[in-house]
Amino acid sequence: MSTTLEKMFAKAKTENRAALIGYLPAGYPDQKSSVKIIKSMIDGGVDAIEIGYPYSDPVMDGPVIQAASEEAIKNGAGAKEVFELLRITAQHKVPAMIMSYWSPIEKYGCANFAQMVAKMGGSGVITPDLTVEESADWHRESIKNSIDSIYVVAPSTTDERLSKVTANCSGFIYAASLMGVTGTRDAVSGNAKSLVERIRKVSNTPVAVGLGVSTKEQAREVAKYADGVIVGSAFIKIVQEHGSGRSGLKKIKQLAKSLSEGVRDAR
C-alpha cells in the first residue's frame, strides 16, 4: 500500500526536486488563526504539513517553537484541536502529519491515537522522543491503521542504531540537522549532509531534513541532497512579529513561495 507521503515524495522526485514540509503547533496563536496560517503555507507551495501537538516540556524544540507551544496551551489547545486541525489540513489534499512527544499519545491511548489520526485523514505521526525499542505497540497500531510512523535521527546516531531506526520508519526519515534544538539558523549545519549520506547507505526511505532552515538559499542548499526540507520556526517567527491577520498571512504565503522556489532551483 502506498501512502500519501510516499506519493508526495514520488511526485517531487519526478519533478526533480525536494518536497517542502511546513510545521505549526495546533492552536497557535489560536485555533482559528492556525487554520488560516496552514492554508497560507499551502497556497504558497508547501507540499505537506506537520501539526505540532503543543507540549509543556519540549526537549527538542528551540525558543521560538517553545513560545508558540506555550501560547497554544494557554489558549486551550489539546488533543481536540490537534485532530481538528489535522482533519482540516487533510481536506486541502496535502499529506498532514502530527508531530508529538510520546507522553500525550500515551495519555490518549496508543490505539485510540492511531485510529484518530487515520479517521481524520492524517498520513502519519512523527515521534521525536520515542525510541524504537519502546515503540512496539505504537508501530503495530500505525500499521493496523495504515499511517506512517516517522522517527527522528541525529548526527550522533551510531551506524548500528541508524539501520535499526530507519528500518522502522515509513513515509520518510526525519533527519535532525544538528545536535540540540530547533530554530532558525544563519547556516544549516554541515552535519546534515553527512547524516543524509549515512542514512542513504542503510535505507531507501525518503529523508527530510529539519531544524534550522529559514531562507530560500538554505532550502536550496538542503534540497540538493535531501528528499524533503522541513521549516517550522521561520513561519512561527512571522506570526510572532506580524501577527496572523492579513499582513502576517501574506508574509507566510510569501515565505512559503520563496522556500518552494528554493527547493525547485536546487537541482
Side-chain angles (χ1 to χ4, degrees), residues 137-165:
D137 291 352
W138 175 247
H139 203 71
R140 190 181 57 244
E141 292 302 332
S142 300
I143 291 167
K144 201 195 278 182
N145 290 283
S146 306
I147 58 172
D148 288 314
S149 49
I150 301 150
Y151 297 90
V152 177
V153 294
S156 61
T157 309
T158 63
D159 286 344
E160 185 195 359
R161 195 150 178 80
L162 208 55
S163 43
K164 199 172 178 180
V165 177

Side-chain angles (χ1 to χ4, degrees), residues 56-225:
S56 52
D57 183 26
V59 282
M60 195 175 119
D61 298 323
V64 174
I65 290 177
Q66 232 166 2
S69 257
E70 277 161 22
E71 195 172 327
I73 291 168
K74 207 170 68 196
N75 292 330
K80 180 176 164 286
E81 287 69 28
V82 171
F83 288 124
E84 181 188 35
L85 195 56
L86 185 69
R87 178 182 62 76
I88 293 167
T89 304
Q91 285 172 348
H92 290 301
K93 300 280 181 276
V94 298
M97 299 154 272
I98 291 175
M99 183 166 194
S100 178
Y101 290 96
W102 182 243
S103 171
I105 298 176
E106 197 172 37
K107 206 166 124 191
Y108 196 87
C110 180
N112 293 340
F113 199 93
Q115 279 161 16
M116 274 304 272
V117 171
K119 191 178 166 189
M120 297 298 149
S123 299
V125 180
I126 301 158
T127 46
D129 63 340
L130 179 65
T131 64
V132 281
E133 288 80 7
E134 294 165 332
S135 64
D137 291 352
W138 175 247
H139 203 71
R140 190 181 57 244
E141 292 302 332
S142 300
I143 291 167
K144 201 195 278 182
N145 290 283
S146 306
I147 58 172
D148 288 314
S149 49
I150 301 150
Y151 297 90
V152 177
V153 294
S156 61
T157 309
T158 63
D159 286 344
E160 185 195 359
R161 195 150 178 80
L162 208 55
S163 43
K164 199 172 178 180
V165 177
T166 55
N168 284 283
C169 271
S170 63
F172 67 91
I173 296 153
Y174 191 123
S177 68
L178 28 85
M179 300 304 299
V181 296
T182 62
T184 56
R185 296 282 188 293
D186 296 332
V188 177
S189 153
N191 288 338
K193 190 168 192 277
S194 57
L195 176 58
V196 173
E197 283 162 3
R198 286 173 57 213
I199 295 168
R200 297 249 190 258
K201 287 180 185 150
V202 294
S203 174
N204 297 321
T205 305
V207 184
V209 170
L211 309 199
V213 177
S214 61
T215 65
K216 179 180 180 173
E217 291 66 42
Q218 290 172 344
R220 182 189 296 129
E221 200 45 52
V222 175
K224 283 178 181 159
Y225 56 82

